[in-house]
C-alpha cells in the first residue's frame, strides 16, 4: 500500500514555530512560491486550479495584480494550457471529493519540496482545528520567520529572518483589523448530525445538492455551508469593514482564496470532518454512479513527476484506501474536545422529539431511534417577493399553503405519521450580490423588538456568502443563479406547533448580518421558502 | 438511491421515452411512401413546396424538437418540479413547455424557410453545398463567444413565484426565456441536418448528443474555443467504458472497500 501519512492538528505556540509540521509547511510554501505562474508545481498555479483572476477579470473583484504583498503574486507568464485552472466545485455534491483530491495533490508537491530541503519524508498537511482553537495559529500572523526555532536550531532551508510565506496582508478577520479568530457562535459542527450525504429538494444534506447534468440546482451542503463558508468569510473579511472590493480579504473570493496558505489548513479540517463523518460516525457516501463517476469531464490535478492525476469522487471517497489519515480518527478524545458528536451519542434525538411532541413516554421509548429515509419533499410555503439584505435586520414573510400546512400539523400531532413526524427546512434561494463578505444569522418568528442574541432558540442557523460574486455572475459557473442554502427548522416549527401558532398561515424570517454591512451592499435573496419532508 | 435521484431518474426516463417516441415517429415517416415530401428526407425545394404542406412540415418540426431537445430540458423541468406546490407541478411544467415550444415553433418556421431557400439556390449537381455552408457556420458558431453566452443563460434561472397567477406567469416566462437562449445556442446546429441531402438522422443523433453534453460543462467566460466536443467524447466513452477505480500515481490498487462506501443508505 505504500507510505501512510498522518495529518495532525496544529499545536499553536503563538508564533514561535514550535510545530515542525508548520515549519516545514512554510519551507514547502516558500519553495513553491519561487516558481513561475506557468509551472504546475508552483504555488500560484495551484491557487489558479481553485480559481483565478488572471485570465479572467471582473469589475467588482480584486485581480491578482491588485493583491497587497506579501505575497508578491505573479500574473505572468500564463501557461499555454490552462485547462486545469478554475476547477473548484461549490454548491454541489462534488464539493468535498474535488477538494480532497486538490489537497492530496498539493500535499504531494509540498512533500517533495520539503524532502528536497532536508525535511521529513513523513510530512503531511496539518489542519487548523478552529473548533478547539478559535484563534488562528500565530505562525501564520508573524510577518517574518524567526532566525532560530525554539530548540535553538536554525530555521530550515536558510529562511530565518526572511518574509514569512505563511503571512498574508489581505487577511482581515471578523473585526477587519487583521486579528484572525472565529467568534463564538460563528461556526457550527451541526452538519455532522446529518445522516445523509445528499438530501432532497428541500435540503442539501451533509455533502450538497445533486448537480448531475448541470449546475442548475446548486443546493449547498451542510459541511460546505457551515463551517466551510463561514470560516472563509470570517477569516478573509474586509479591511475595517470597508465596502471597497479592493480591501476584501483573499479568503472571501474563490478566485483569490487559495493564494492564502491558511486556506489549506482550513480545508484540511473540512476534509477531516468528511472523514470523521464516514469513519467515526459510519455515514455512507452516495453509491449513485452520478456521484461515484463524477461530472464530465473528470477532475484533474498536477502530480509530481507524473502526468496529471485524473480522479472521480469514487476514487477518493474512501479515506482508508488513500495514503493518509488523521490523528483525530485514531484519538476520539480529540474529537470530543472539539465538540464533535460521538457514535454512541448518535440520535436518541427522534425519541426525544416524539416525547416533546406529546407521544407517551413509554411508547416513545419503544419507537425507532433513527429517522427513516425521506419519502417525499414538498413545498410548504414561500415569500411572495424577493428580499433585499441591507445594513441591519431584514425581514421576510413566508406565506404557508393551507393545504400543505394541515398535512404538516397532522404529522406533528402524530396522527398521520406517529413514528416519523415531518421535518421542516427553510431555504434561502437564489442569493445574489457583489459583496459577499458576510455571514447571515437566520431567525424564525423572533418576537417583534426582541434581541436576536437573547433568543437562540429562534435561530435556524447561519449562512456564509462565500463565492457570492461568482455565483451571481451570469458568466460564472452558476450562470448567475446565485447561492442557495437550506436550514433545518424542525425544532422551531415543533415549538410553534405546540404553541398553537403554526396555523397563523405565515412565518417571519429575519436575516441578521453578523456585523453591520457596508454602504452599497446589494445582497438579494430571490425567494425564502419552507419545505416539509416526510419519512 | 436518494429520493431526489429517484425523482430525477423517473423524470429523465420519462423524457427519454418521449424523445424516443419522437425518433420512432420521424424514422417511420421518412421510411413511408411520402419520403420525398419530408423536410427530413431531402428533395429539392420545389418538391418540398409541392408535396409537403405547412402542416406536414410543422409536424416534422415538432417531432424533431421532441427527439432532439427534450433531453436538454430535464434540468429546468426538474427545477420547476422542485420549486412548486405538488398540486400545480404538472400545470406549471406544461406552461414552461408552452413558452419554450412557442419560441421554437417560430424559430422552426424561420429555419424551414432558410432550408427551402438554400435548396432553391443550390444547383441540383451541388446538393451538398448548402450543408457545407451551414456546417461551416455551425462550427464557427459553436466556437464563438456568442454561443457561450447563450449556453450560460441556459443554465441561469431565478426563483419562481409559488402562489397563484404569478406562479403560472413565471413558469411560462421561464419557458420563453429558456427557449430564446436555447434557440440562440442551437439554431444552426438544428439547421444542419435539415439541409443535408442524405444522412439526416445520423446528423440529428450527433447534434442531439452534442447539445445534451455541451450543457454538462459549467457556465464560463465567453471566448473563442471549441466547446462540447470533448465533453461529448468523454461522456460517450464513459457510457461504454464504465467506471473503474483508480489509485494515486505510484500506489497499489485498493484491495477492499470500507462498508460505508460499498453500502449506501443515502
Amino acid at each position: 500500500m505504500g507510505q501512510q501519512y498522518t495529518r495532525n492538528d496544529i499545536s499553536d505556540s503563538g508564533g514561535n514555530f514550535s510545530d515542525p509540521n508548520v515549519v516545514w509547511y512554510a519551507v514547502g510554501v516558500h519553495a513553491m512560491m519561487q516558481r513561475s505562474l506557468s509551472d504546475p508545481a508552483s504555488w500560484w498555479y495551484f491557487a489558479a486550479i481553485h480559481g483565478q483572476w488572471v485570465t479572467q477579470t471582473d469589475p467588482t473583484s480584486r485581480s491578482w495584480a491588485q493583491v497587497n504583498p506579501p505575497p508578491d503574486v505573479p500574473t505572468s507568464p500564463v501557461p499555454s494550457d490552462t485547462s486545469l485552472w478554475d476547477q473548484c466545485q461549490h454548491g454541489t455534491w462534488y464539493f468535498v471529493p474535488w477538494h480532497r483530491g486538490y489537497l492530496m495533490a498539493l500535499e504531494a508537491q509540498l512533500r517533495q519540496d520539503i524532502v528536497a530541503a532536508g525535511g521529513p519524508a513523513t510530512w503531511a498537511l496539518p489542519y487548523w482545528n478552529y473548533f478547539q482553537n478559535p484563534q488562528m495559529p500565530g505562525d501564520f500572523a508573524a510577518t517574518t520567520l524567526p532566525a532560530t526555532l525554539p530548540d535553538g536550531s536554525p530555521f530550515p532551508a536558510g529562511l530565518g529572518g526572511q518574509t514569512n510565506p505563511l503571512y498574508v496582508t489581505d487577511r482581515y478577520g471578523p473585526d477587519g483589523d487583521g486579528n484572525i479568530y472565529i467568534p463564538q457562535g460563528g461556526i457550527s459542527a451541526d452538519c455532522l448530525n446529518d445522516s445523509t450525504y445528499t438530501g432532497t429538494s428541500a435540503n442539501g444534506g451533509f455533502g450538497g445538492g445533486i448537480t448531475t447534468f448541470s449546475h442548475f440546482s446548486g443546493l449547498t451542503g451542510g459541511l460546505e455551508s457551515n463551517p466551510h463558508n463561514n470560516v472563509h468569510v470570517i477569516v478573509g473579511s474586509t479591511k475595517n469593514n470597508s465596502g471597497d472590493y479592493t480591501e476584501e480579504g483573499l479568503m472571501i473570493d474563490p478566485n483569490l482564496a487559495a493564494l492564502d496558505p491558511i486556506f489549506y489548513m482550513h480545508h484540511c479540517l473540512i476534509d477531516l470532518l468528511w472523514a470523521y463523518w464516514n469513519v467515526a460516525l459510519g455515514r455512507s457516501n452516495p453509491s449513485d454512479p452520478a456521484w461515484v463517476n463524477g461530472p464530465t469531464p473528470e477532475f484533474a490535478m498536477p502530480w509530481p513527476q507524473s502526468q496529471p492525476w485524473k480522479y472521480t469522487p469514487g476514487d477518493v471517497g474512501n479515506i482508508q484506501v488513500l495514503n493518509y489519515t488523521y490523528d483525530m480518527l485514531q484519538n476520539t478524545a480529540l474529537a470530543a474536545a472539539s465538540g464533535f458528536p460521538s457514535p454512541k451519542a448518535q440520535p436518541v434525538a427522534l425519541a426525544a422529539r416524539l416525547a416533546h411532541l406529546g407521544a407517551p413516554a413509554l411508547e416513545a421509548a419503544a419507537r425507532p431511534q433513527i429517522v427513516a429515509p425521506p419519502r417525499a419533499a414538498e413545498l410548504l410555503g414561500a415569500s411572495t417577493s424577493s428580499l433585499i439584505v441591507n445594513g441591519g435586520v431584514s425581514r421576510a414573510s413566508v406565506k404557508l399553503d393551507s393545504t400543505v400546512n394541515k398535512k404538516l400539523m397532522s404529522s406533528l400531532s402524530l396522527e398521520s405519521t406517529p413514528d416519523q413526524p415531518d421535518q421542516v427546512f427553510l431555504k434561502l434561494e437564489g442569493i445574489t450580490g457583489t459583496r459577499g463578505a458576510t455571514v447571515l444569522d437566520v431567525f424564525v418568528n423572533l418576537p417583534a423588538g426582541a434581541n436576536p442574541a437573547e433568543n437562540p432558540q429562534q435561530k435556524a442557523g447561519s449562512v456564509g456568502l462565500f463565492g457570492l460574486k461568482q455565483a451571481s455572475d451570469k458568466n460564472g459557473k452558476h450562470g448567475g443563479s446565485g447561492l442557495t442554502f437550506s436550514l433545518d427548522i424542525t425544532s422551531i416549527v415543533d415549538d410553534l406547533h405546540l404553541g398553537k401558532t403554526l396555523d397563523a398561515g405565515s412565518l417571519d424570517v429575519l436575516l441578521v448580518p453578523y456585523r453591520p454591512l457596508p454602504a452599497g451592499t446589494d445582497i438579494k435573496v430571490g425567494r425564502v421558502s419552507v419545505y416539509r419532508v416526510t419519512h | 438511491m436518494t429520493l431526489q435521484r429517484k425523482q430525477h431518474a423517473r423524470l429523465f426516463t420519462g423524457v427519454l421515452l418521449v424523445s424516443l417516441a419522437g425518433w420512432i415517429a420521424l424514422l417511420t415517416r421518412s421510411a413511408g411512401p411520402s419520403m420525398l415530401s419530408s423536410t427530413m428526407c431531402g428533395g429539392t425545394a420545389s418538391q418540398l413546396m409541392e408535396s409537403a404542406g405547412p402542416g406536414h412540415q410543422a409536424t416534422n418540426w415538432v417531432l424533431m424538437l421532441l427527439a432532439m431537445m427534450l433531453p436538454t430540458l430535464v434540468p429546468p423541468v426538474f427545477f420547476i418540479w422542485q420549486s412548486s406546490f405538488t398540486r400545480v407541478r404538472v400545470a406549471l411544467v406544461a406552461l414552461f413547455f408552452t413558452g419554450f415550444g412557442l419560441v421554437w415553433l417560430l424559430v422552426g418556421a424561420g429555419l424551414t424557410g432558410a432550408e427551402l431557400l438554400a435548396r432553391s439556390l443550390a444547383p441540383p449537381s451541388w446538393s451538398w453545398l448548402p450543408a457545407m455552408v451551414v456546417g461551416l457556420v455551425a462550427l464557427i458558431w459553436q466556437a464563438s463567444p456568442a454561443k457561450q453566452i447563450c449556453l450560460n443563460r441556459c443554465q441561469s434561472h431565478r426563483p419562481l413565484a409559488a402562489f397563484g397567477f404569478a406562479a403560472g406567469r413565471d413558469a411560462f416566462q421561464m419557458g420563453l426565456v429558456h427557449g430564446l437562449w436555447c434557440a440562440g445556442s442551437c439554431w444552426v446546429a438544428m439547421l444542419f441536418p435539415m439541409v443535408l441531402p442524405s444522412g439526416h438522422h445520423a446528423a440529428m443523433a450527433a447534434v442531439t448528443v452534442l447539445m445534451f453534453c455541451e450543457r454538462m460543462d459549467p457556465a464560463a467566460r465567453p471566448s473563442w474555443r471549441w466547446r462540447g466536443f470533448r465533453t461529448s467524447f468523454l461522456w460517450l466513452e464513459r457510457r461504454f467504458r464504465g467506471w473503474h477505480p483508480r489509485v494515486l500515481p505510484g500506489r497499489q490498487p485498493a484491495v477492499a472497500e470500507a462498508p460505508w462506501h460499498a453500502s449506501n443508505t443515502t
Side-chain angles (χ1 to χ4, degrees):
Chain A
M1 286 288 289
Q3 175 75 48
Q4 188 77 3
Y5 306 97
T6 300
R7 295 179 180 174
N8 293 296
D9 189 2
I10 295 173
S11 58
D12 184 20
S13 57
N16 67 356
F17 287 87
S18 61
D19 186 335
N21 288 319
V22 180
V23 171
W24 289 109
Y25 181 53
V27 171
V29 172
H30 175 82
M32 289 183 70
M33 283 183 170
Q34 303 314 302
R35 301 191 179 105
S36 76
L37 173 62
S38 60
D39 186 342
S42 75
W43 186 257
W44 324 113
Y45 190 100
F46 262 89
I49 290 171
H50 193 268
Q52 48 84 27
W53 290 125
V54 179
T55 62
Q56 311 179 91
T57 56
D58 177 80
T60 61
S61 295
R62 174 200 293 247
S63 72
W64 279 26
Q66 292 173 305
V67 173
N68 292 310
D72 281 306
V73 180
T75 54
S76 63
V78 174
S80 56
D81 179 8
T82 58
S83 60
L84 298 190
W85 286 13
D86 301 306
Q87 286 189 59
C88 73
Q89 302 282 315
H90 293 111
T92 163
W93 63 348
Y94 301 129
F95 164 73
V96 277
W98 183 85
H99 283 86
R100 174 166 283 178
Y102 183 46
L103 285 185
M104 290 167 65
L106 179 90
E107 184 179 54
Q109 182 58 53
L110 283 168
R111 185 179 298 120
Q112 176 174 279
D113 289 325
I114 287 167
V115 170
T122 56
W123 180 88
L125 277 171
Y127 60 89
W128 173 24
N129 185 357
Y130 29 72
F131 287 100
Q132 203 169 8
N133 299 305
Q135 188 74 33
M136 183 182 71
D139 299 342
F140 289 78
T143 54
T144 57
L145 297 173
T148 58
L149 297 175
D151 63 3
S153 61
F155 201 97
L159 296 182
Q162 292 194 28
T163 301
N164 180 6
L166 308 183
Y167 176 75
V168 163
T169 301
D170 294 322
R171 187 197 285 150
Y172 296 109
D175 304 320
D177 58 359
N179 180 23
I180 312 299
Y181 68 99
I182 307 300
Q184 189 174 13
I187 57 170
S188 157
D190 286 350
C191 62
L192 290 171
N193 293 320
D194 203 325
S195 60
T196 56
Y197 185 95
T198 191
T200 65
S201 54
N203 62 312
F206 176 80
I210 294 168
T211 52
T212 311
F213 294 101
S214 74
H215 293 244
F216 219 91
S217 67
L219 239 175
T220 307
L223 176 63
E224 183 184 354
S225 176
N226 189 0
H228 169 264
N229 279 11
N230 290 22
V231 169
H232 266 285
V233 169
I234 291 169
V235 169
S237 191
T238 53
K239 187 176 183 181
N240 300 320
N241 202 22
S242 165
D244 185 345
Y245 74 86
T246 64
E247 297 190 316
E248 290 178 343
L250 303 184
M251 280 281 278
I252 69 164
D253 186 332
N255 289 5
L256 295 164
L259 290 167
D260 188 338
I262 200 66
F263 171 97
Y264 299 97
M265 308 295 97
H266 165 41
H267 268 277
C268 209
L269 180 67
I270 297 300
D271 188 66
L272 162 59
L273 290 172
W274 183 24
Y276 186 83
W277 188 78
N278 281 147
V279 178
L281 302 180
R283 305 299 194 194
S284 303
N285 294 331
S287 59
D288 190 322
W291 185 85
V292 173
N293 296 342
T296 305
E298 296 167 308
F299 308 140
M301 293 291 159
W303 198 268
Q305 275 103 46
S306 178
Q307 291 296 308
W309 170 45
K310 293 182 178 178
Y311 67 99
T312 67
D315 293 327
V316 297
N318 182 356
I319 194 174
Q320 291 197 335
V321 299
L322 300 177
N323 65 350
Y324 70 96
T325 185
Y326 286 95
D327 55 356
M328 193 182 286
L329 298 181
Q330 327 296 329
N331 186 346
T332 54
L334 287 174
S338 304
F340 299 163
S342 72
K344 290 178 183 172
Q346 283 299 295
V348 283
L350 177 58
R353 184 179 175 218
L354 288 168
H356 183 60
L357 288 172
L362 284 176
E363 194 179 342
R367 283 173 176 167
Q369 303 289 298
I370 299 171
V371 176
R375 284 191 295 114
E378 183 178 20
L379 183 65
L380 168 62
S383 60
T384 52
S385 61
S386 56
L387 171 65
I388 303 297
V389 180
N390 47 37
V393 173
S394 305
R395 185 184 294 266
S397 178
V398 177
K399 181 182 172 187
L400 303 182
D401 180 81
S402 58
T403 307
V404 185
N405 198 23
K406 279 177 188 165
K407 288 192 273 185
L408 171 66
M409 288 193 286
S410 170
S411 172
L412 299 186
S413 300
L414 306 178
E415 293 166 358
S416 58
T417 51
D419 289 336
Q420 299 282 344
D422 290 353
Q423 285 182 291
V424 184
F425 292 89
L426 178 78
K427 269 173 80 173
L428 303 175
E429 300 181 49
I431 306 176
T432 56
T434 56
R435 293 187 173 89
T438 194
V439 175
L440 300 174
D441 290 333
V442 184
F443 293 83
V444 175
N445 277 24
L446 189 70
N451 182 352
E454 295 171 358
N455 291 274
Q457 74 281 2
Q458 300 305 124
K459 184 175 175 179
S462 62
V463 295
L465 305 184
F466 175 62
L468 183 69
K469 283 182 200 175
Q470 281 84 350
S472 308
D473 181 354
K474 289 193 181 301
N475 294 320
K477 282 183 184 172
H478 291 234
S481 300
L483 300 171
T484 296
F485 298 96
S486 64
L487 296 166
D488 188 343
I489 58 170
T490 302
S491 63
I492 296 174
V493 172
D494 282 352
D495 288 341
L496 293 175
H497 171 70
L498 294 171
K500 309 289 185 195
T501 54
L502 187 56
D503 55 0
S506 66
L507 296 177
D508 275 335
V509 176
L510 269 73
L511 303 184
V512 185
Y514 86 117
R515 65 176 192 172
L517 293 170
T521 298
D522 57 351
I523 299 170
K524 185 172 91 170
V525 182
R527 186 174 92 161
V528 183
S529 56
V530 180
Y531 284 73
R532 69 187 275 257
V533 173
T534 57
H535 298 273
Chain B
M1 190 181 276
T2 64
L3 170 66
Q4 201 177 10
R5 280 290 296 163
K6 281 179 193 165
Q7 292 172 335
H8 191 280
R10 275 200 291 267
L11 175 64
F12 191 62
T13 304
V15 161
L16 282 186
L17 286 174
V18 177
S19 174
L20 186 64
W23 278 101
I24 292 170
L26 277 173
L27 292 168
T28 306
R29 287 164 72 90
S30 65
S34 61
M35 182 173 174
L36 285 179
S37 65
S38 166
T39 56
M40 295 314 307
C41 294
T44 64
S46 57
Q47 282 173 316
L48 290 172
M49 293 289 285
E50 287 167 10
S51 57
H56 186 88
Q57 296 199 23
T59 304
N60 271 341
W61 179 247
V62 169
L63 290 175
M64 195 171 162
L65 282 181
L66 288 176
M68 299 175 73
M69 279 292 165
L70 267 186
T72 71
L73 295 182
V74 171
V77 169
F78 196 50
F79 174 72
I80 294 170
W81 197 261
Q82 294 183 117
S83 300
S84 51
F85 291 114
T86 307
R87 63 179 179 277
V88 295
R89 281 172 172 166
V90 172
L92 295 185
V93 168
L95 283 167
F96 169 82
F97 277 124
T98 304
F100 184 86
L102 276 175
V103 171
W104 268 107
L105 281 178
L106 289 174
V107 172
L111 292 181
T112 306
E115 176 200 3
L116 292 171
L117 183 65
R119 289 187 194 283
S120 65
L121 293 178
S125 57
W126 288 72
S127 63
W128 282 90
L129 183 63
M132 290 167 70
V133 172
V134 171
L136 182 64
V137 173
L139 285 174
I140 293 171
W141 185 254
Q142 187 70 17
S144 71
K147 167 85 179 189
Q148 186 65 60
I149 290 172
C150 294
L151 282 173
N152 290 352
R153 300 302 183 274
C154 285
Q155 295 203 10
S156 182
H157 64 287
R158 62 184 185 86
L160 304 174
F163 293 95
F165 171 79
R169 178 203 60 204
D170 278 9
F172 181 69
Q173 270 183 2
M174 185 176 167
L176 284 177
V177 172
H178 196 82
L180 280 170
W181 290 114
C182 184
S185 173
C186 305
W187 64 276
V188 67
M190 293 289 281
L191 180 60
F192 177 65
M194 296 166 68
V195 296
L196 277 172
S198 62
H200 321 279
H201 297 115
M204 280 175 61
V207 169
T208 302
V209 171
L210 179 67
M211 290 192 305
F212 179 73
C213 290
E214 68 187 4
R215 293 166 199 234
M216 292 179 186
D217 290 329
R221 299 269 156 206
S223 62
W224 283 100
R225 66 180 177 85
W226 290 117
R227 52 182 60 84
F229 297 110
R230 180 169 176 265
T231 305
S232 301
F233 172 77
L234 291 171
W235 183 78
L236 288 169
E237 183 194 31
R238 190 177 281 185
R239 297 282 81 71
F240 291 110
R241 175 175 57 87
W243 177 79
H244 303 287
R246 286 156 302 181
V247 293
L248 289 175
R251 287 179 65 83
Q252 298 299 312
V255 176
E257 290 187 334
W260 62 83
H261 186 261
S263 68
N264 174 51
T265 59
T266 60

